[in-house]
Amino acid sequence: MDQLLILGRLTNKAMNERLILVTNDDGYDSKGIAAAIEVARSFGRVVVVAPEETQSGKSQAITMYEPLFLRKVREEEHVEVYAFSGTPVDCVKMAFDHLLNDQQVDLVISGINHGSNSAVNVLYSGTMGAAIEGSFYGCPAIGLSLTDHAADADFEASILWGKRIVGDILTHDVELPLCLNVNIPIGKIEEIKGMRLCRQNRGYWREEFFRHEDPRGREYYWLTGEFVNTEPEAEDTDEWALAHGYIAVVPVQVDLTDYRQLQKLDTILK
């Protein structure tokens, strides 16, 4: 859908009234969050609460045994930016439960992440941890990720498609809770083939620890790994979409109940 058409649906009054919370797991000063702010400010007033430092891989982690520090980084027209010493989920809780003083938030945007959060990565991701947390507060939430880990990644296509997706969500009556895991492949705008609604790919990470020694002879390890796709031929997954030049959109939920096992276990566990 044309971007001007999407923005045309939003009246000036509606845009002035909207409040959008932006967060991430790469830190308040990352290039990706600057791109997320550009997406968000097209639709309303923006408040950013993001980690002081990189918090990748924090998932739903919260800080319980350390003090937390909040500071305002800057304020400009319709945008306030705060840095918070906690995790991405801490940032969302701080925004909703303290900073915003019960103001109605219309949308949470988490990202734009430097790196994919497709497949099982959704369980490890601080970006998606924050998006999921945001959906608990009665508003739609969108996690945006670009499949490029580089600090200087090109977010032009991500910004364009981010605005399209946000515009569609804000201009329709969506059923809550709603949390979208949106992953964008590397490429110029003209190289993106389109958008696909997908399911989460089945797979897992096989980790490897590289052993080293410090100058004092103490051993330490660096973690690395490789993603194993257990269904590479399936064409309805986020991994397939990304590999073929499409943006992958997966609606996610918090209920981890394995319903397939309920009936079977009822005959086993008595």
Side-chain angles (χ1 to χ4, degrees), residues 86-134:
T87 67
V89 169
D90 288 333
C91 290
V92 174
K93 289 180 178 294
M94 166 56 70
F96 276 97
D97 296 329
H98 177 73
L99 183 65
L100 297 177
N101 294 320
D102 297 322
Q103 297 177 64
Q104 179 182 339
V105 177
D106 297 284
L107 178 71
V108 173
I109 297 176
S110 185
I112 298 172
N113 191 63
H114 295 252
S116 172
N117 280 317
S118 60
V120 72
N121 292 321
V122 69
L123 296 178
Y124 303 118
S125 166
T127 297
M128 287 308 300
I132 291 168
E133 184 71 22

Side-chain angles (χ1 to χ4, degrees), residues 178-197:
L178 174 69
C179 183
L180 300 181
N181 182 15
V182 178
N183 286 276
I184 301 132
I186 296 175
K188 299 294 183 182
I189 291 174
E190 62 273 14
E191 296 173 329
I192 305 296
K193 294 181 180 179
M195 180 173 60
R196 289 175 67 110
L197 281 170

Side-chain angles (χ1 to χ4, degrees), residues 22-37 48-55 71 73-74 81-84 91 111-112 114 150-152 155:
V22 174
T23 189
N24 74 347
D25 70 357
D26 291 312
Y28 75 94
D29 59 350
S30 70
K31 186 175 181 181
I33 205 165
I37 293 170
V48 179
V49 183
E52 279 275 7
E53 301 176 349
T54 299
Q55 296 280 341
R71 66 184 179 92
V73 175
R74 69 179 189 275
V81 179
Y82 295 84
F84 195 43
C91 290
I112 298 172
H114 295 252
D152 62 346
F155 286 93

Side-chain angles (χ1 to χ4, degrees), residues 45-49 72 74-76 78-82:
R45 180 167 67 92
V46 180
V47 174
V48 179
V49 183
K72 179 180 281 190
R74 69 179 189 275
E75 184 173 357
E76 55 195 67
H78 304 309
V79 178
E80 296 177 47
V81 179
Y82 295 84

Side-chain angles (χ1 to χ4, degrees), residues 5-56:
L5 178 59
I6 292 174
L7 294 179
R9 290 178 176 177
L10 307 176
T11 67
N12 289 332
K13 181 179 179 181
M15 288 182 65
N16 292 335
E17 291 177 348
R18 282 194 174 88
L19 174 57
I20 300 178
L21 174 64
V22 174
T23 189
N24 74 347
D25 70 357
D26 291 312
Y28 75 94
D29 59 350
S30 70
K31 186 175 181 181
I33 205 165
I37 293 170
E38 185 172 342
V39 171
R41 70 191 311 168
S42 298
F43 301 97
R45 180 167 67 92
V46 180
V47 174
V48 179
V49 183
E52 279 275 7
E53 301 176 349
T54 299
Q55 296 280 341
S56 295

